[in-house]
Amino acid sequence: MNILCLGAAGFIGSHLTGRLLSEGHNVVAVDYYDDKIKEWIGHKQLTVIKQDIREETWGLSELVQESDLIIDLIAYANPGLYVKIPLEVFRLNFTENLKIAQICQKFNKRLIQFSTCEVYGKTPTSILNGHILDPDNPSYAKFGEDTTNFILGPVNKHRWIYACAKQLLERVLHAYGIEHEFNYTIIRPFNFIGPRIDYLLNETDGVPRVFSFFMDALLNGTQMKLVGGGHHRRCYTYIDDAIEAIYRIVMNPNGVCDREIFNVGSPENEISIRDLANTMRDIYSQEFRQDGIPLPEIVDVSPEEFYGKGYEDSDRRIPDITKAQTLLGWEPKWDTVNTVKTTMSYYVHEYRDLYEDQLWKHDIFQKALTSE
Ligand code: UDP
């Protein structure tokens, strides 16, 4: 297939580009940077176009017409950004993505649109303030693509602008499907992690996700911060499992993915952020720690202190993956510990040298040195 991949050089896009090339597809990769797809540059079936899709005219219509399938991964998907630049989050995640969908619809091309598990928002447990029997029952947090109601916070908690933008986009795609037989598939990722998830050291992305904050703390000897006590839970999904599901959606056997929404995630991998911090610290201590260097403290911080005003959190989200299991025969294979360990190993090897110069400036290391 000729595949146009928009946002190909992000975390998911870079892994997907590798897989599509290895399966023999021709890929046109569009992104405003190309660092994460460097290893494939020069591949004869890959065309890289460095482009900010927000610019007015840059030939998207022509590229869509030349493609059999369009995959749209363009997004701002880091919670720190939802609070800092909500208008730009709305513009990129809704307005710009809608333009792409409209061009696909105009030329009758299939679109795979990446959305988010954030559309589900919060659980009933979180809003019923203790007036619920058996509040920890996972069934309250198990979200199904076509059955679960969405619970988002108030407007002044503007973190939800991301979820809201993605939800609106999904609804518009659905409406195009009904009124114009537009062929789309929506993917809702549940906390994918793996190599290249975010940069550390605040290099480019500015506000990484929790894994990178914790990894940065481990390498740098600074504190691991638990926002709001670290009680919130996530299901971490190893990127290889995710790419397997996505590739099956790309291949769309017998059209089973036409106008469907898929959760992609590992329901068995649920972990609280507090347990994630402890697990990462334990793994670091056992596998990667350098002699004499102390492990970071784990401390509590308030959401406002960490993210600023307007932040609110998804308390818990577990994907119901029955649809992907039955229609695609997909099963995630990676457990939490191996997922986290493999991702950590990548960062330790990529970044340790970079950190080495800085480490010794820290008080914590100076103390370690003088006490030896
Ligand atoms: N979080 C934390 N410490 C950090 C960064 C994030 O406790 O240094 C929390 C955050 O409040 C949320 C969870 O970790 O409850 C996951 O946040 P992330 O930024 O990875 O993205 P999300 O899963 O919310 O999309």
Side-chain angles (χ1 to χ4, degrees):
M1 267 194 283
N2 293 322
I3 300 177
L4 175 61
C5 196
L6 303 165
F11 163 51
I12 303 171
S14 66
H15 288 272
L16 184 58
T17 298
R19 176 69 184 266
L20 294 173
L21 291 171
S22 75
E23 298 282 355
H25 300 286
N26 297 315
V27 179
V28 176
V30 177
D31 211 306
Y32 57 30
Y33 69 148
D34 60 12
D35 313 17
K36 295 185 185 182
I37 49 170
K38 280 227 145 65
E39 67 180 281
W40 297 286
I41 289 180
H43 192 293
K44 62 181 187 325
Q45 283 171 279
L46 175 67
T47 307
V48 177
I49 302 177
K50 268 176 119 174
Q51 176 66 46
D52 185 338
I53 57 108
R54 285 167 286 201
E55 279 172 24
E56 278 301 312
T57 45
W58 59 275
L60 177 60
S61 290
E62 291 73 19
L63 291 174
V64 166
Q65 287 173 75
E66 288 159 11
S67 307
D68 303 308
L69 169 69
I70 294 85
I71 302 175
D72 182 9
L73 285 139
I74 287 172
Y76 277 137
N78 293 13
L81 295 176
Y82 316 158
V83 180
K84 273 207 174 82
I85 49 165
L87 280 179
E88 201 49 35
V89 166
F90 180 74
R91 178 181 167 204
L92 193 65
N93 292 308
F94 180 72
T95 316
E96 299 298 336
N97 276 321
L98 179 59
K99 287 183 198 162
I100 293 164
Q102 285 169 328
I103 293 173
C104 295
Q105 187 270 320
K106 180 175 167 193
F107 295 111
N108 204 16
K109 298 289 181 175
R110 177 171 179 239
L111 170 69
I112 296 179
Q113 177 65 58
F114 276 75
S115 182
T116 173
C117 60
E118 287 259 326
V119 294
Y120 295 109
K122 302 187 268 189
T123 65
T125 303
S126 78
I127 58 165
L128 289 174
N129 296 324
H131 302 288
I132 192 166
L133 284 178
D134 193 13
D136 213 38
N137 192 319
S139 67
Y140 294 126
K142 195 144 197 180
F143 297 146
E145 296 95 335
D146 305 314
T147 50
T148 299
N149 296 304
F150 299 156
I151 306 176
L152 303 187
V155 168
N156 63 5
K157 300 293 182 196
H158 52 264
R159 175 217 169 102
W160 298 109
I161 198 163
Y162 170 68
C164 206
K166 287 289 198 186
Q167 186 196 133
L168 188 56
L169 184 69
E170 289 195 12
R171 290 188 188 278
V172 176
L173 295 192
H174 179 79
Y176 271 114
I178 292 172
E179 293 195 26
H180 299 288
E181 294 181 0
F182 177 44
N183 193 5
Y184 64 86
T185 306
I186 289 167
I187 296 178
R188 293 183 184 153
F190 281 70
N191 288 88
F192 298 172
I193 68 168
R196 304 192 290 273
I197 178 169
D198 283 316
Y199 292 103
L200 305 187
L201 288 167
N202 296 341
E203 282 166 24
T204 318
D205 284 355
V207 196
R209 281 157 283 207
V210 66
F211 174 85
S212 305
F213 275 114
F214 288 171
M215 199 64 231
D216 189 82
L218 288 163
L219 288 167
N220 211 15
T222 50
Q223 292 173 331
M224 298 170 90
K225 294 179 178 167
L226 297 177
V227 177
H231 303 303
H232 295 148
R233 286 175 267 191
R234 297 290 187 265
C235 292
Y236 287 98
T237 307
Y238 192 59
I239 188 69
D240 288 4
D241 274 339
I243 294 296
E244 184 55 42
I246 296 164
Y247 190 68
R248 290 175 190 217
I249 291 169
V250 165
M251 295 316 290
N252 192 17
N254 304 316
V256 292
C257 305
D258 292 353
R259 293 178 205 95
E260 289 288 350
I261 301 174
F262 286 90
N263 287 338
V264 176
S266 296
E268 303 303 321
N269 285 2
E270 193 182 26
I271 188 168
S272 73
I273 303 302
R274 180 175 289 279
D275 288 344
L276 177 69
N278 281 307
T279 303
M280 285 180 68
R281 199 171 63 168
D282 289 348
I283 292 172
Y284 193 79
S285 158
Q286 287 154 20
E287 308 269 336
F288 307 116
R289 187 178 179 187
Q290 289 174 314
D291 281 352
I293 299 182
L295 292 169
E297 284 180 277
I298 297 177
V299 298
D300 285 347
V301 293
S302 75
E304 193 152 309
E305 193 187 324
F306 194 81
Y307 286 109
K309 260 188 162 3
Y311 181 73
E312 199 177 52
D313 211 344
S314 280
D315 53 315
R316 195 177 178 192
R317 49 201 196 205
I318 306 170
D320 181 336
I321 55 168
T322 313
K323 205 198 271 192
Q325 287 168 319
T326 50
L327 295 184
L328 303 170
W330 174 73
E331 287 295 338
K333 297 190 170 67
W334 284 72
D335 66 17
T336 311
V337 169
N338 281 319
T339 293
V340 171
K341 197 190 288 185
T342 309
T343 309
M344 288 177 72
S345 166
Y346 167 83
Y347 279 93
V348 168
H349 294 110
E350 281 293 300
Y351 281 89
R352 185 167 263 163
D353 290 349
L354 268 170
Y355 278 78
E356 211 111 88
D357 287 347
Q358 308 188 29
L359 282 178
W360 308 107
K361 295 179 204 144
H362 274 275
D363 284 357
I364 194 168
F365 294 106
Q366 291 299 332
K367 274 188 209 135
L369 277 179
T370 48
S371 65
E372 269 173 9

